[in-house]
Every structure is written in C-alpha cells, then in structure tokens.
Amino acid sequence: MSNVLIIESSARQQDSISRQLTQQFIGQWQAAHPADRITLRDVARNPVPHLDANLLGGWMKPAEQRNDDEQVSLDRSNELTDELLAADVLVMAAPMYNFSIPSTLKAWLDHVLRAGVTFKYTTTGPQGLLTGKRAIVLTARGGIHAGATSDHQEPYLRQVMAFIGIHDVTFIHAEGVNLGAGFQEKGVNQAKALLAQVA
C-alpha cells in the first residue's frame, strides 16, 4: 500500500481545470490502486500562512525559548511536513498564475522545505532527504508556455523537488485554456490522455 498526498492550489472552486485533472487522477488511481491511501490538502480553501518571523522562530529556537505563536507555527509546519514525509507519491495541482505557481502553493513549500528534515547541508552542498518518492504535477495554463522562457513554473518546481531529493517528477500540462474553446478542449484532452497513462 502506498500513501498519495495531493496538494490543491487553484483559487477557483468551480470550473477549475487543475481541479478537474485532480479528480480524474483520484478516480484512475483508486481504480488501479484500491488499497492506497489518498490524503487531500487544499491550500486554497485552507491556506497556510506565508513564511514569517513566527515560523522562523519556531524552527530555530529551542523549545524553552519559543513563544506561543512560534510554537503554533512550528506545530503547523510539522503537520504539513509529516504528511509529505509519509507520502510515497506527491501530486501538486497548480494553475499557472503570472507565469509561476499560486502563492498558496509557494507558502506550503516554504513550510516543508526544512533543513535537517527534508534536506540537509553537507560539505559538498545541500542533499535531499526524500529519495525514493515520486511527484506528479498537474498544471492548467491560459497560454502556451511549455519549453518557453515564460514558463517559471516547471523549472522552479523541478528544482525544488530535486532539492529535497525527489527526482522522479512528471508534469502534465493543460495548455492554452484561455485561448478559446478549441484551444481549451485540445489542451484539456491532451492532459487527460497523458494523465490516464500516469495512473
């Protein structure tokens, strides 16, 4: 049995293409792997705070020196990080906002990229600690960005995943979804066809 962690980040609750892809993924994955456990965290509906002084204090101060706000921030980060550590497969559903990822997804990443927990510094540089995991990224993009200099989404997430030791990363892009009905249908159908192969 594997643990699958899904992170939703679309600000749209209705008519969200990345959420449509997530639902297809869940249905196909459950059909193929009925014993697997799926955990869904929606950082748009339940956003985590952005990185702030309380979180930094929670990470860096000894327990006896933390104030209540710092402890609450640390407990939240621990919960999010524990979910990631327990996952065998990480799925991130990310619409492209302003050429990159939603700030809610960035905030989640800021909570789980933790020195000594998901990566460590060594004399030869940083080393990821989450080896053996797999990541799948489902994106929805208004324009056509794959392979273009305007894509600050895939390169960033690939680097972040590699930084914590996840090198098996699959991207599935629904491209051109705001370019008109024909483009949207084509982009979504191509993404769904690729998604069927992944699950």
Side-chain angles (χ1 to χ4, degrees):
M1 183 183 78
S2 295
N3 290 322
V4 180
L5 173 62
I6 299 175
I7 308 297
E8 288 274 28
S9 62
S10 175
R12 300 173 69 187
Q13 300 302 314
Q14 301 296 324
D15 302 319
S16 165
I17 290 172
S18 64
R19 291 181 185 276
Q20 290 178 32
L21 296 178
T22 301
Q23 290 307 307
Q24 177 176 325
F25 171 86
I26 291 173
Q28 291 176 342
W29 193 273
Q30 287 179 328
H33 312 276
D36 284 4
R37 177 185 174 191
I38 294 178
T39 300
L40 178 62
R41 179 169 289 277
D42 192 330
V43 295
R45 286 180 175 161
N46 298 293
V48 297
H50 290 286
L51 182 64
D52 60 11
N54 287 327
L55 183 54
L56 292 174
W59 284 343
M60 297 177 181
K61 291 182 180 178
E64 65 275 10
Q65 294 181 17
R66 292 182 205 124
N67 63 37
D68 290 345
D69 290 335
E70 290 167 343
Q71 187 61 53
V72 168
S73 294
L74 176 61
D75 290 343
R76 181 188 301 112
S77 179
N78 286 341
E79 178 183 357
L80 299 172
T81 306
D82 287 346
E83 284 181 347
L84 178 58
L85 292 172
D88 302 291
V89 180
L90 169 65
V91 179
M92 290 180 284
M96 178 180 275
Y97 292 163
N98 299 316
F99 309 107
S100 188
I101 62 174
S103 63
T104 50
L105 180 56
K106 175 62 164 60
W108 177 81
L109 289 167
D110 286 340
H111 277 72
V112 301
L113 270 69
R114 292 175 56 180
V117 182
T118 56
F119 73 94
K120 66 180 179 180
Y121 290 111
T122 72
T123 55
T124 57
Q127 177 183 333
L129 300 177
L130 303 190
T131 57
K133 298 182 186 294
R134 176 186 182 193
I136 301 166
V137 184
L138 312 175
T139 79
R141 299 161 163 204
I144 308 294
H145 299 279
T149 57
S150 59
D151 183 359
H152 301 283
Q153 189 181 53
E154 180 171 342
Y156 169 71
L157 289 175
R158 281 195 184 279
Q159 181 171 351
V160 167
M161 291 295 99
F163 187 72
I164 57 176
I166 303 177
H167 298 280
D168 182 356
V169 185
T170 301
F171 280 81
I172 296 177
H173 302 299
E175 296 249 84
V177 299
N178 290 340
L179 299 180
F183 283 96
Q184 182 179 106
E185 183 179 8
K186 179 181 178 182
V188 172
N189 287 341
Q190 286 179 341
K192 288 183 175 180
L194 292 172
L195 187 54
Q197 299 173 23
V198 169

